Amino acid sequence: MLVLLPPSETKRPGGHGDALRLDELALPALRPQREAVVDALVALSADEDEAARVLKLSAKRRHEIADNAALRDAPTMPAIDRYTGVLFDALDAAGLDTAARSWVADHVLIHSAPFGPVGALDGIPAYRLAAGISIPGLPSLRRVWADAVTSALSALSTPFILDLRSEAYAALGPVPADVASAYVRVVTGGGEAPVRALNHFNKHAKGDLVRSLALTAPTIGSRNDFVAWGRRAGWDIREAADGELALFV
């Protein structure tokens, strides 16, 4: 089983790990795309006004341009600890025991915009880049990442992929068609017409779900296995008419 998570716009600063090593990140076949995006972000950072415009930064967030300028030299920390916000607060990676963190390391990829999907414990620096940004000198991030990520995921030969990414990040690397998978949408309400959960509840539920997986460390090799585990663990997971899975909160 492999779990795909979205990143978060908010991140912890600093770090104690060595500088970024693109060759040590998960899915090493993505190194050419990673090199291209990192180089473009570093180059963009040389012009602060242009960087602020492209990255859509307010005056209060302009300091994040310096993070991009230092991508190759800044200290790193595990991706699962770098990201903050509702999803990652609910997952609470720092509060997991050794066995649960080991499960996360083996089963979770976080889909970043500059590095593509990275392992949960891969060291990454602080950065600023969202899925919808177009960086001068590069095609759209979707064109940079989509085919390469799909190919890299296919090469993993994992039996089942649980896709918890937002639509924007799922578009940067669709799950291979030949791999069993489930895209989970968080919904609320009962009856015939559940509605999408508000963003806060959507993110919290996904973080809490991954924490539950890490703590129970189930063996899941199919969609049916996941649904069955979820029901045993107290999650209300149902098949949706569009082929997705609905997680009720």
Side-chain angles (χ1 to χ4, degrees), residues 121-138:
L121 299 190
D122 285 353
I124 61 170
Y127 69 86
R128 176 62 181 242
L129 182 66
I133 297 296
S134 294
I135 309 171
L138 286 181

Side-chain angles (χ1 to χ4, degrees), residues 6-224:
S8 173
E9 182 177 297
T10 56
K11 304 165 190 74
R12 288 186 179 85
H16 299 287
D18 294 338
L20 180 66
R21 291 288 302 272
L22 294 178
D23 57 332
E24 294 182 358
L25 300 180
L27 306 181
L30 297 178
R31 182 166 180 175
Q33 290 76 22
R34 289 164 172 157
E35 294 279 8
V37 178
V38 168
D39 284 348
L41 271 181
V42 172
L44 175 63
S45 303
D47 184 334
E48 184 175 318
D49 290 338
E50 176 68 358
R53 183 191 69 78
V54 169
L55 299 173
K56 301 178 182 179
L57 297 177
S58 66
K60 290 183 179 180
R61 308 307 302 180
R62 279 198 170 215
H63 65 275
E64 293 177 321
I65 297 170
D67 290 336
N68 287 348
L71 279 177
R72 291 193 178 275
D73 304 311
T76 61
M77 70 173 65
I80 200 76
D81 300 317
R82 173 70 70 188
Y83 295 108
T84 62
V86 176
L87 189 157
F88 292 93
D89 289 348
L91 198 161
D92 186 23
L96 294 175
D97 60 26
T98 300
R101 275 184 76 92
S102 179
W103 188 94
V104 168
D106 292 340
H107 295 87
V108 175
L109 295 179
I110 304 171
H111 198 150
S112 73
F115 314 119
V118 299
L121 299 190
D122 285 353
I124 61 170
Y127 69 86
R128 176 62 181 242
L129 182 66
I133 297 296
S134 294
I135 309 171
L138 286 181
S140 69
L141 289 178
R142 185 169 184 171
R143 288 182 61 190
V144 170
W145 289 119
D147 289 346
V149 169
T150 299
S151 177
L153 291 175
S154 182
L156 291 177
S157 300
T158 186
F160 175 69
I161 294 178
L162 182 66
D163 195 348
L164 302 181
R165 295 173 296 176
S166 61
E167 291 177 358
Y169 281 93
L172 297 188
V175 171
D178 60 348
V179 177
S181 65
Y183 187 87
V184 175
R185 195 175 298 281
V186 181
V187 298
T188 186
E192 297 297 322
V195 297
R196 293 189 188 186
L198 296 176
N199 204 32
H200 173 91
F201 298 102
N202 167 56
K203 293 177 179 178
H204 190 279
K206 289 177 177 179
D208 201 20
L209 177 69
V210 176
R211 182 177 180 82
S212 182
L213 283 164
L215 291 173
T216 57
T219 299
I220 294 176
S222 69
R223 183 187 186 99
N224 287 340

